[in-house]
Amino acid sequence: GKTENWSWGANFARNGIAALAYDPLGQGERLQYFDAARKASLIGNPTGEHGEANVPTLLIGDDLARYMVNDSMRAVDYLTSRKDIDGARIGAFGCSGGGTATAYFAALDPRVRAAATACYITSFEELLRSPTGVQDAEQTIPHFVEEGLDFGDWVELAAPKPYAIVSTTADMFPFEGARQTYEEARRLYAIFGAEDRLQWITGPGGHGNLGPIAPAILGFFAKNLKGSADAPVYTATRPQHPEDMQCTPTGQVSTSLSGETVSSINRQRAGRLLAPQQVIGSKADLARMQARVRQDVRSLTAAAVEPGRAAAHVEVKASEARAGYRVETVSLASDASMQVAGFLAVPDGAGLKPAVLLLDSQPPGADFERLAKAGRIVLLLEPRPTPPGTESIKSPYLGSFNLLSLRAFLVGKTLVGLRVDDAIRAVDWLCARKDVDGAALTVYGNGSLGIVALHAAVLDGRIGRVVMENSLTSYRMIVDQVVHRNVSEVVIPGVLRKYDTGELLEAVYPRPVTIVNPRDALGDPVSEADFRKGLAYVFESDRRLGRPGRIRLLLGGGREHVFE
């Protein structure tokens, strides 16, 4: 932000270059989730704020990066309005998140004459296999890698304007990736005959250690904005009175100006972009809607497994006899390189038995035992993926799956889609067993896995009943509520332009769905009145189609009737 960049601003000015530094979203006076009582961000650090603000934008098919690019472009609008600024000689420079913004901005705004991106440019091949992996929401644009793009494309889109890739040797953005991107971009600059306009400025140390190479960075801008060959001097400095850098009376745009936030703007945009909630009144309309939603689920989640198309493989690791049933420790082959661990309960006795697939991150509990003793085959799976131990927690509100989901988005995948594939493979295996009654198959999902169970049922007609517990009531709640908690596992980019949970409920008609203790976007309980109001169009559809009691809502304790 502007205070952090005081030293750079002073040194640019001393070398004859005016410098404008502003607070990015989530920093300084532009906190998106300002807690007036604590006088700090409710979410945590800036990257946490970025992640929290990004979630609802993803749901409507946007990305936080659009807001950051807009900031940069508006900054140039301001600069070029001033009589003391030469609008033909605008440069852009930033480090880390600022380097990200600079890379995007310099590629997209032709008014930028020269740009230097520090401690950001690398390659996704190196970044995705590094211990730190992806870092921030705006740096991880859905489908980017899937579409064949890489860091080099930002540099090359800016060609042939003067460009400096600035790297430190021990950065969390791998140095080797920066070398690869520099070499690639140099070949493209050569096509323009502009090899001398591309520089790779390198220095020692970790992320953001620009002190040793600060003169070289200043020299790059002095040459390309002023035509000066002089070697600039960089003198580290601090503002004598940091409070003088405060622009608003209260220290926050939100409390001084009642300014908009990404969340509030996104809600306004959502009103224009969201798919309409429609009451289904006929079997013909229902069939058309169900076909569309199945296609949309495939497209948006990237779930790829077709029910019953291939034999699923489960390996039994261990077996233990219990009173009335046996328990097997099993491993489901998820794909060529992944195994999903689970537990299988098989009741004693011959004949076909109803089956329940439990999707839950918890070990076998009371439900597992009760269902087995009641004569049901029970398969408990914790679907992939689970976050690695090195995963950075950007904010307690974002949870441990935030960066993992961003990684999936890059390559056109979603955690929901990966888990739906595992659920369908598990159903394949259950239906292939000679002791399973394929006409009596229930899939249960707890928490985020309730959303998975519902998506799986849309794609797999063999699932006769769905049970969701402690699950998100609707994606729209994430947009409507300012703050949300642990929803990264269920985020699907662009989902609200096509469907919400209500459309999924309609798409599994006429199969019954039991919803136990639904939750809002913060994870708090939703009342029956609010639940029925939010899904009123679904209940009305069921009434018109002749199944008014198909969706059953259970609140509070008492679990003995959940699976009936």
Side-chain angles (χ1 to χ4, degrees):
K2 57 189 182 300
T3 303
E4 298 164 344
N5 283 315
W6 169 267
S7 188
W8 277 108
N11 278 276
F12 273 120
R14 286 171 177 167
N15 284 276
I17 300 172
L20 171 63
Y22 58 84
D23 285 331
L25 294 166
Q27 291 177 239
E29 295 178 71
R30 295 185 69 199
L31 297 184
Q32 300 294 290
Y33 302 93
F34 181 65
D35 184 343
R38 297 171 53 226
K39 296 185 178 180
S41 170
L42 175 68
I43 302 302
N45 60 30
T47 55
E49 284 229 341
H50 296 174
E52 187 76 0
N54 192 48
V55 166
T57 69
L58 288 175
L59 293 178
I60 70 166
D62 283 352
D63 190 278
L64 183 69
R66 65 174 288 139
Y67 294 94
M68 296 191 166
V69 171
N70 183 71
D71 282 349
S72 300
M73 290 182 172
R74 294 297 289 155
V76 175
D77 290 345
Y78 167 69
L79 287 172
T80 55
S81 73
R82 293 177 59 104
K83 295 181 180 179
D84 55 351
I85 297 296
D86 183 351
R89 291 187 289 170
I90 299 291
F93 171 57
C95 179
S96 188
T100 309
T102 300
Y104 298 175
F105 163 53
L108 298 172
D109 195 328
R111 297 174 297 178
V112 176
R113 177 172 173 178
T117 58
C119 294
Y120 168 64
I121 295 294
T122 182
S123 72
F124 274 113
E125 180 180 3
E126 297 297 325
L127 181 63
L128 290 175
R129 68 184 183 188
S130 71
T132 54
V134 297
Q135 291 299 310
D136 209 348
E138 72 276 10
Q139 296 169 341
T140 317
I141 299 173
H143 305 287
F144 195 79
V145 174
E146 181 191 23
E147 294 290 346
L149 299 172
D150 209 333
F151 286 82
D153 291 286
W154 295 115
V155 181
E156 292 151 18
L157 188 56
K161 67 181 66 174
Y163 204 104
I165 298 171
V166 182
S167 308
T168 55
T169 55
D171 194 4
M172 61 187 178
F173 291 94
F175 188 79
E176 171 58 21
R179 184 195 65 76
Q180 294 168 5
T181 294
Y182 169 69
E183 294 294 340
E184 176 190 307
R186 191 171 64 171
R187 291 192 293 271
L188 189 134
Y189 265 75
I191 295 174
F192 288 98
E195 299 98 317
D196 60 330
R197 297 186 188 178
L198 180 65
Q199 287 184 242
W200 188 24
I201 300 173
T202 65
H207 188 67
N209 186 45
L210 301 186
I213 50 178
I217 297 169
L218 283 175
F220 167 81
F221 284 106
K223 173 185 176 181
N224 292 295
L225 295 181
K226 292 178 58 187
S228 171
D230 297 339
V233 175
Y234 183 92
T235 304
T237 183
R238 294 182 179 180
Q240 293 182 346
H241 304 287
E243 63 275 12
D244 290 344
M245 303 296 288
Q246 183 172 306
C247 300
T248 60
T250 65
Q252 287 296 320
V253 169
S254 60
T255 52
S256 290
L257 306 175
S258 299
E260 297 282 2
T261 63
V262 171
S263 178
S264 63
I265 296 172
N266 189 68
R267 279 194 297 279
Q268 295 170 24
R269 281 180 56 76
R272 302 189 298 271
L273 297 175
L274 298 196
Q277 297 176 340
Q278 296 180 334
V279 173
I280 306 298
S282 71
K283 294 296 178 64
D285 289 342
L286 176 67
R288 283 190 290 269
M289 186 278 296
Q290 290 176 326
R292 176 184 62 80
V293 171
R294 283 194 295 270
Q295 182 177 353
D296 289 339
V297 166
R298 289 283 185 199
S299 174
L300 293 176
T301 69
V305 174
E306 294 283 352
R309 293 291 180 89
H313 177 71
V314 172
E315 181 180 355
V316 178
K317 301 289 188 179
S319 182
E320 174 191 350
R322 297 186 182 179
Y325 66 99
R326 73 178 186 274
V327 175
E328 298 175 350
T329 302
V330 299
S331 178
L332 169 72
S334 175
D335 55 31
S337 59
M338 295 286 293
Q339 296 288 321
V340 177
F343 298 90
L344 178 71
V346 181
D348 296 341
L352 294 178
K353 304 173 181 67
V356 178
L357 172 60
L358 300 177
L359 304 177
D360 201 340
S361 59
Q362 301 300 316
D367 283 337
F368 184 83
E369 181 178 8
R370 181 169 56 250
L371 289 167
K373 287 183 176 180
R376 302 193 187 197
I377 292 177
V378 187
L379 176 59
L380 170 65
L381 286 181
E382 180 185 2
R384 61 169 175 150
T386 54
T390 57
E391 193 81 316
S392 170
I393 305 297
K394 297 298 182 181
S395 165
Y397 284 84
L398 288 169
S400 57
F401 284 90
N402 170 50
L403 295 183
L404 191 60
S405 64
L406 293 178
R407 223 178 269 131
F409 299 157
L410 276 171
V411 297
K413 302 289 186 179
T414 66
L415 300 192
V416 170
L418 292 172
R419 291 169 168 179
V420 166
D421 281 348
D422 289 345
I424 294 176
R425 287 188 180 98
V427 171
D428 282 345
W429 183 72
L430 286 170
C431 289
R433 289 178 61 99
K434 294 181 179 180
D435 54 356
V436 168
D437 180 358
L441 179 62
T442 298
V443 174
Y444 163 93
N446 186 28
S448 62
L449 297 172
I451 297 294
V452 173
L454 189 56
H455 276 86
V458 170
L459 300 180
D460 194 337
R462 298 170 301 177
I463 298 172
R465 177 187 297 272
V466 177
V467 179
M468 305 168 61
E469 185 167 14
N470 300 316
S471 301
L472 180 70
T473 300
S474 73
Y475 282 106
R476 181 60 190 255
M477 283 183 165
I478 300 176
V479 172
D480 289 341
Q481 293 180 244
V482 175
V483 179
H484 23 83
R485 190 191 302 272
N486 291 332
V487 299
S488 298
E489 289 178 78
V490 300
V491 169
I492 303 169
V495 65
L496 282 174
R497 293 202 182 200
K498 298 294 185 179
Y499 64 84
D500 202 345
T501 53
E503 283 67 38
L504 297 177
L505 289 167
E506 290 177 332
V508 302
Y509 184 94
R511 290 168 284 168
V513 179
T514 298
I515 298 176
V516 186
N517 298 328
R519 304 287 171 168
D520 65 11
L522 258 177
D524 293 332
V526 173
S527 69
E528 180 171 359
D530 287 341
F531 181 84
R532 292 190 177 278
K533 179 181 179 181
L535 294 173
Y537 67 107
V538 181
F539 289 107
E540 177 60 18
S541 294
D542 281 1
R543 188 190 67 79
R544 294 189 184 187
L545 292 169
R547 294 288 299 274
R550 181 180 68 94
I551 298 173
R552 186 171 56 142
L553 177 63
L554 299 179
L555 301 178
R559 304 186 47 77
E560 59 274 12
H561 302 298
V562 167
F563 293 94
E564 294 180 359

